[in-house]
Amino acid sequence: MSTLESPSQTTLEQRCDSAIAAIQFALETDEGLAFLRCWNEGDFDAIRDEWPEAPEEVFIGADPLHPDTSL
């Protein structure tokens, strides 16, 4: 993080990147709407179970328990 960025900006950027990754993945997979519903509701355990091929980027910034998520 540069000296010009505040932690909240980084968190916002992570959330935006996560949302973009989630939408891109939903467009490429079967049951994309179900995936987005789980992602929107924060049911990340279900996503890991049902869509193990989901890229890590869908979790970073969205899942508060993910180790790379800035709080």
Side-chain angles (χ1 to χ4, degrees):
M1 179 172 14
S2 76
T3 56
L4 297 177
E5 290 180 315
S6 70
S8 62
Q9 287 175 320
T10 301
T11 302
L12 179 60
E13 289 172 7
Q14 282 185 336
R15 289 179 183 165
C16 290
D17 291 346
S18 177
I20 292 168
I23 292 167
Q24 287 175 334
F25 180 73
L27 291 171
E28 298 169 358
T29 191
D30 294 337
E31 301 293 325
L33 285 177
F35 167 82
L36 282 177
R37 194 171 294 116
C38 287
W39 185 88
N40 187 54
E41 293 172 358
D43 195 354
F44 301 110
D45 289 335
I47 291 173
R48 288 182 178 96
D49 290 341
E50 298 290 325
W51 296 276
E53 71 279 11
E56 201 64 21
E57 290 81 10
V58 304
F59 303 109
I60 300 171
D63 183 353
L65 299 178
H66 192 282
D68 292 335
T69 296
S70 298
L71 297 177

